[in-house]
C-alpha cells in the first residue's frame, strides 16, 4: 500500500475579522486514521480554525484540502455551510454542547442521518406513503443509532430527552451524533471540558476506538493535557493565530516555545502542560 | 418531581399577612396611577369644540379597591393551591387523565363525524361547526410553520387570501370585467369546460399557488429571526391584502368577488333541479344538504392536513424542522440545508392555508379583502400558541375553544373581548406552553416517553 495522502492539508490559512488577524498563514496536515490535536492558550484561534474547516467562516485566504479514502478531493475553502458536512463529510461538535434538547437521544442521532434518509424518502414523497425502500432505510438508520448508543453506554436512555441527560452523557451523545453523520474527519471542540477524571478516561477510550475500530480521522481541540498527551498522534500548537510547534506529543511537550506560550498566557495552563508531560 | 409534591403552604415563613398587604398596596398604587387618567377624568368635546371634563373619583376608588381586594384574594388562593405546577396528583388520578387523554382524540373525531347527524336541523350550529373546522385546518397548517419549524409567521392569512382569490378568480365564469376578455385566464379555463368540476380542479391549483407564495415569502426572510421575522411576515400579510384591495380591475377591490361557484359532489351540483344531488339519490331537496356536504368537505381537508403533518413529522424533513427549531447551528453542522428546510416549511404550511382559502371562497360564494385582515392571522396564531406549539390535538382543542367561545359569549356584546382576554391571561398563567405543551418523540426504541415542555425550544425565527 502506498503512503496515503493526509486526510486534511491546510496551507496558508488566514482569517481576518476587520482589522484583527485571528489566524495568520497557518499550515499543517492531519494524517489519515490519526488523532491530531490542536492546542494553544485561550484566544489562540483554535476554534476559529475549526469554524473555517467546518464551513461556519469563510477564510480570508489559504487553502484547505480534504481527501477521502477513495481519493475524492474537496476544497473546504470553496465549499460552504452545510455542504461541508453533506459532501466533504466533516462532522463537528461544539465547545458548548449543541444537542437538540427537546428531542430524544435517538432522535438526535436520526437527525444526523438526515441526508441519507432524505434521499431514501424520495425527498419525502416516497416516505409520505411509507414506501418499503424508505422503511428499510429507516430501520438501518435506527440500527446505526442503536449501535452508537450502545457504544457510548446510553442505550437504556435512548428515549429520554437529550436535555435531561447528565452533562458527561450529553458530551458523548454529541460525539455519537457527529459520528452518525458518517464523517471522514471528526472535529471535536474541547470534548473533555467539564468532565471528571473517570469520564475523561472513558472519553479517551471512545476516541481511540473511533480511530482504531471505525478508522475515522480526528481533529481535536483540547485543554485537558492528560487527554491530549495520551491519545494524540500529532500535536499542532497555536498562539496568537500563528503555529509555534508541530510534531509528536513528546517533542511538543519539551518545546521551549510551547512552554513559554503557555507561561506567558496563563500559569495554570503551563503547569498543566508540564504535568501532562510528567 | 417528588420535591414539589410536599411543598408546604407556609414555605415562606417571612411572607406573612404583612407581605400580602404590602403586595396589595403596591398593586393598588399601580392601578391608581394607571386608571387616574383613564377613569378618574372624563373628557369630551363641547358643542363649540371646547374641552369639557368632569371627574369620576367614585368609580376610580371602586376600581382601585377592587384591585386591592383582588390582589389579596389571588395571593391567598396561591397559598392555598400552592405554586403553579407544584400540585402532584395521585398516580391513579394521573393514570385516569392519561387514559382520557388517549381517548380524547378518537372521541373528538367520532363526534366530528356525527356533528351533521346530531345537529341536522340546527343550521346555525352546522354553520358554526364548519367555521370551527376551517380554523382547525388553518391552525394545523400554521402549526407546521410555527409549531414544528419554529418560524414565527404573523402573516398566515396572506396564504388564506391567495387560496381564496385564486379559486374565485379562476373559477369565475361570469366575466364581470369585459376589458379583460381577450387576455383573461378564465376564458381559457371556460374553454376547458370545467363546469361543475371547477372546485375539484381548482382546489389543488389554489393550494399550489399559495405554496408558491409561501416560497416567495420564504426567500427574503431566510436570514431573519424572532421579532424581525415576525415583522416581515406581518408586512407580507398586509401587502397581499392591500394589493387585493387596490387592484380593482382584477379583484374588484373593496367590492370583492361574488358569484363564486359552489362546490359539487364530484360533479353533481347540490341544486333543487333534475340533475341535482337530491334528485339523484331520490330525496326531497333541502338547503341543509349543502351545509352537510361543506362540513364533511372541510373535515376531510382538515384530516388530510393532520395526516400529512403527522407523517411528515416522522420523516427526515419533519425531524429537520424540529431540529431547526431546537438549534439551527447544530443543523448546519450536521449537513442539513437550512434554506430548503425553511422554504419547505413555509411552502407546505402555506399550501394548507391555500386549501382552506379555496374552501372559504366556495363556502361563502363571496369574498372581499375584509375577510383577510391581520386579525385573522392573529387569531390563527393565538390558536396555535394556546393549543401548544407542535401539538395537533392541542391546536384542535384551542380552535374549538376560541371560535366556539367567541360564539358562546356573543350575548356579552362588547364585553366579549374582555372575557376572552381574561381567559387567555389565566390560561397563560396556568399553562404557559399551551393546552398540550409536551412533545411526543417521533421515533423510539423501547418506550415513547413524552418530553416535558420546559426542554422543548420555541424557536427563535
Amino acid at each position: 500500500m502506498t503512503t496515503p495522502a493526509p486526510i486534511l492539508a491546510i496551507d496558508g490559512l488566514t482569517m481576518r475579522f476587520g482589522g484583527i488577524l485571528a489566524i495568520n498563514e497557518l499550515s499543517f496536515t492531519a494524517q489519515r486514521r490519526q488523532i491530531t490535536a490542536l492546542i494553544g492558550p485561550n484566544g489562540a484561534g483554535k476554534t476559529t480554525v475549526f469554524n473555517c474547516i467546518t464551513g461556519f467562516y469563510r477564510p480570508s485566504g489559504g487553502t484547505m484540502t480534504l481527501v477521502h479514502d477513495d481519493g475524492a478531493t474537496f476544497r473546504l475553502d470553496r465549499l460552504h455551510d452545510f455542504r461541508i458536512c453533506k459532501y466533504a463529510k466533516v462532522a463537528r461538535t461544539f465547545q458548548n454542547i449543541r444537542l437538540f434538547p427537546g428531542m430524544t437521544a435517538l432522535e438526535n442521532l436520526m437527525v444526523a442521518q438526515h441526508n441519507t434518509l432524505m434521499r431514501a424518502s424520495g425527498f419525502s414523497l416516497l416516505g409520505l406513503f411509507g414506501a418499503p425502500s424508505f422503511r428499510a432505510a429507516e430501520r438501518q438508520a435506527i440500527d446505526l443509532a442503536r449501535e452508537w448508543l450502545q457504544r457510548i453506554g446510553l442505550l437504556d436512555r435512548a428515549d429520554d430527552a437529550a436535555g435531561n441527560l447528565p452533562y458527561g452523557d450529553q458530551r458523548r451523545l454529541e460525539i455519537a451524533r457527529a459520528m452518525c453523520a458518517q464523517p471522514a474527519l471528526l472535529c471535536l471542540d474541547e470534548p473533555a471540558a467539564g468532565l471528571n477524571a473517570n469520564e475523561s478516561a472513558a472519553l479517551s477510550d471512545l476516541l481511540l476506538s473511533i480511530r482504531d475500530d471505525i478508522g475515522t480521522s480526528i481533529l481535536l481541540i483540547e485543554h485537558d493535557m492528560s487527554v491530549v498527551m495520551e491519545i494524540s498522534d500529532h500535536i499542532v500548537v497555536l498562539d496568537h493565530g500563528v503555529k509555534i510547534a508541530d510534531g509528536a506529543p513528546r517533542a511538543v511537550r519539551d518545546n521551549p516555545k510551547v512552554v513559554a506560550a503557555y507561561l506567558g498566557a496563563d500559569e495554570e495552563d503551563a503547569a498543566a502542560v508540564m504535568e501532562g508531560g510528567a | 418531581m417528588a420535591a414539589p409534591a410536599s411543598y408546604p403552604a407556609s414555605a415562606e415563613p417571612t411572607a406573612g399577612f404583612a407581605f400580602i398587604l404590602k403586595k396589595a398596596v403596591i398593586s393598588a398604587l399601580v392601578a391608581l396611577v394607571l386608571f387616574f387618567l383613564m377613569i378618574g377624568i372624563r373628557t369630551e368635546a363641547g358643542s363649540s369644540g371646547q374641552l369639557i371634563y368632569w371627574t369620576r373619583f367614585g368609580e376610580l376608588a371602586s376600581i382601585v379597591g377592587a384591585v386591592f381586594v383582588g390582589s389579596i384574594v389571588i395571593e391567598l388562593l396561591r397559598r392555598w393551591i400552592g405554586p403553579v405546577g407544584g400540585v402532584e396528583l395521585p398516580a391513579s388520578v394521573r393514570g385516569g387523565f392519561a387514559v382520557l387523554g388517549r381517548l380524547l382524540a378518537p372521541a373528538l373525531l367520532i363526534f366530528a363525524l356525527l356533528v351533521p347527524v346530531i345537529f341536522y336541523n340546527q343550521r346555525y350550529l352546522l354553520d358554526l361547526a364548519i367555521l370551527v373546522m376551517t380554523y382547525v385546518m388553518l391552525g394545523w397548517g400554521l402549526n407546521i410553520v410555527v409549531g414544528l419549524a419554529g418560524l414565527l409567521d404573523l402573516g398566515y392569512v396572506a396564504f388564506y387570501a391567495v387560496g381564496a382569490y385564486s379559486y374565485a378568480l379562476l373559477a369565475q365564469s361570469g366575466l364581470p370585467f369585459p376589458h379583460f376578455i381577450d387576455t383573461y385566464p378564465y376564458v381559457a379555463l371556460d374553454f376547458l369546460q370545467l363546469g361543475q368540476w371547477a372546485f375539484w380542479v381548482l382546489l389543488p391549483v389554489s393550494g399550489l399557488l399559495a405554496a408558491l407564495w409561501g416560497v416567495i415569502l420564504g426567500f427574503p426572510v431566510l436570514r431573519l429571526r424572532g421579532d424581525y421575522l415576525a415583522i416581515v411576515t406581518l408586512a407580507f400579510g398586509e401587502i397581499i391584502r392591500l394589493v387585493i384591495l387596490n387592484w380593482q380591475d382584477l379583484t374588484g377591490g373593496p367590492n370583492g368577488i361574488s358569484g363564486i361557484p359552489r362546490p359539487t359532489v364530484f360533479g353533481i351540483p347540490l341544486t333543487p333541479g333534475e340533475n341535482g344531488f337530491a334528485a339523484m339519490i331520490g330525496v326531497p331537496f333541502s338547503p341543509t344538504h349543502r351545509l352537510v356536504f361543506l362540513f364533511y368537505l372541510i373535515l376531510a381537508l382538515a384530516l388530510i392536513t393532520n395526516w400529512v403533518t403527522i407523517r411528515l413529522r416522522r420523516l427526515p424533513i419533519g425531524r429537520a424542522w424540529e431540529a431547526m427549531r431546537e438549534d439551527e447551528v447544530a443543523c448546519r453542522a450536521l449537513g442539513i440545508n437550512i434554506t430548503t428546510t425553511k422554504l419547505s416549511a413555509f411552502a407546505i404550511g402555506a399550501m394548507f392555508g391555500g386549501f382552506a382559502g379555496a374552501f372559504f371562497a366556495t363556502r361563502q360564494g363571496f369574498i372581499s379583502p375584509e375577510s383577510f385582515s391581520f386579525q385573522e392571522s392573529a387569531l390563527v396564531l393565538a390558536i396555535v400558541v394556546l393549543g401548544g406549539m407542535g401539538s395537533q390535538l392541542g391546536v384542535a382543542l384551542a380552535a374549538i375553544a376560541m371560535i366556539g367561545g367567541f360564539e358562546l359569549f356573543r350575548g356579552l356584546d362588547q364585553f366579549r373581548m374582555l372575557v376572552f382576554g381574561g381567559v387567555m391571561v389565566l390560561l397563560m398563567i396556568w399553562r404557559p406552553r399551551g393546552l398540550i405543551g409536551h412533545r411526543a418523540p417521533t421515533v423510539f426504541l423501547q418506550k415513547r416517553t413524552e418530553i416535558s415542555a420546559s426542554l422543548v425550544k420555541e424557536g427563535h425565527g
Side-chain angles (χ1 to χ4, degrees), chain A residues 56 81-82 85 94 98 100-104 107 110-111 114-115 117 124 127-128 130 134 138 158-159 161 164, chain B residues 311 315-317 319-320 323 326-327 329-330 332-337 439 442 444-447 449 451 455 457:
Chain A
F56 281 85
D81 206 54
F82 72 95
C85 179
F94 294 87
R98 299 197 87 123
F100 307 119
M103 302 174 94
T104 64
E107 282 181 302
M110 294 295 279
V111 172
H114 176 81
N115 288 316
L117 284 173
S124 300
L128 197 58
F134 171 67
E138 193 172 36
D159 301 321
N164 261 346
Chain B
R311 293 288 311 187
L315 291 180
I317 183 79
R319 271 190 217 116
E326 298 280 317
D327 194 329
V329 172
R332 284 162 56 195
L334 292 173
I336 294 175
N337 186 344
R439 174 181 174 274
T442 58
F444 61 96
L445 280 188
Q446 290 108 12
K447 187 166 160 285
T449 33
I451 296 170
L455 290 170
K457 294 266 167 68

Side-chain angles (χ1 to χ4, degrees), chain B residues 169-180:
Chain B
L169 289 172
L170 292 174
Q172 267 208 344
S173 47
L175 292 183
F177 320 114
H179 57 279
F180 259 87

Side-chain angles (χ1 to χ4, degrees), chain A residues 17-40:
Chain A
F17 297 105
I20 297 162
L21 193 59
I23 304 169
N24 189 12
E25 294 283 334
L26 174 70
S27 303
F28 70 89
T29 57
Q31 297 301 322
R32 202 170 293 278
R33 288 189 186 76
Q34 286 200 354
I35 297 178
T36 307
L38 197 57
I39 65 169

Side-chain angles (χ1 to χ4, degrees), chain A:
Chain A
M1 199 174 142
T2 53
T3 45
I7 180 114
L8 177 70
I10 290 183
D11 189 29
L13 179 69
T14 302
M15 184 73 211
R16 222 178 249 109
F17 297 105
I20 297 162
L21 193 59
I23 304 169
N24 189 12
E25 294 283 334
L26 174 70
S27 303
F28 70 89
T29 57
Q31 297 301 322
R32 202 170 293 278
R33 288 189 186 76
Q34 286 200 354
I35 297 178
T36 307
L38 197 57
I39 65 169
N42 290 329
K46 305 180 296 291
T47 299
T48 308
V49 173
F50 256 43
N51 284 340
C52 287
I53 294 173
T54 52
F56 281 85
Y57 294 157
R58 186 159 277 197
S60 321
T63 62
M64 301 181 287
T65 316
L66 186 101
V67 183
H68 282 179
D69 286 355
D70 61 7
T73 305
F74 298 89
R75 282 285 298 277
L76 300 186
D77 48 303
R78 289 183 188 160
L79 284 173
H80 198 52
D81 206 54
F82 72 95
R83 290 175 192 86
I84 294 219
C85 179
K86 187 173 178 182
Y87 301 115
K89 294 281 169 201
V90 178
R92 73 171 289 179
T93 65
F94 294 87
Q95 203 169 341
N96 43 342
I97 304 172
R98 299 197 87 123
L99 287 168
F100 307 119
M103 302 174 94
T104 64
L106 178 64
E107 282 181 302
N108 268 275
L109 302 190
M110 294 295 279
V111 172
Q113 303 176 58
H114 176 81
N115 288 316
T116 321
L117 284 173
M118 200 67 182
R119 268 192 303 280
S121 76
F123 299 91
S124 300
L125 278 176
L126 288 174
L128 197 58
F129 300 101
S133 63
F134 171 67
R135 289 192 185 172
E138 193 172 36
R139 267 196 302 277
Q140 256 177 27
I142 292 177
D143 285 342
L144 181 66
R146 192 202 307 266
E147 186 194 319
W148 275 103
L149 285 168
Q150 179 112 54
R151 225 180 255 274
I152 60 172
L154 282 180
L155 194 54
D156 53 334
R157 303 209 63 177
D159 301 321
D160 286 351
N164 261 346
L165 296 175
Y167 185 82
D169 289 350
Q170 292 196 14
R171 280 258 175 236
R172 273 177 299 144
L173 183 61
E174 204 191 11
I175 295 174
R177 187 179 67 178
M179 284 308 294
C180 275
Q182 294 175 305
L185 177 68
L186 175 66
C187 298
L188 303 172
D189 198 345
E190 298 200 25
L195 300 188
N196 63 34
N198 284 337
E199 287 171 330
S200 286
L203 176 81
S204 298
D205 291 343
L206 176 67
L207 297 187
L208 288 174
S209 112
I210 288 175
R211 181 193 66 183
D212 300 333
D213 303 342
I214 298 169
T216 305
S217 316
I218 297 178
L219 189 63
L220 174 79
I221 293 179
E222 189 48 70
H223 277 301
D224 186 335
M225 286 305 150
S226 60
V227 173
V228 171
M229 291 298 161
E230 187 190 332
I231 65 170
S232 304
D233 299 302
H234 186 93
I235 295 180
V236 176
V237 190
L238 275 187
D239 189 24
H240 293 106
V242 184
K243 184 169 87 175
I244 57 170
D246 186 349
R250 192 172 297 273
V252 165
R253 185 179 56 204
D254 299 333
N255 188 324
K257 267 161 98 181
V258 175
V259 178
Y262 270 87
L263 275 175
D266 186 6
E267 262 178 79
E268 270 176 31
D269 281 346
V273 173
M274 301 313 276
E275 251 172 46

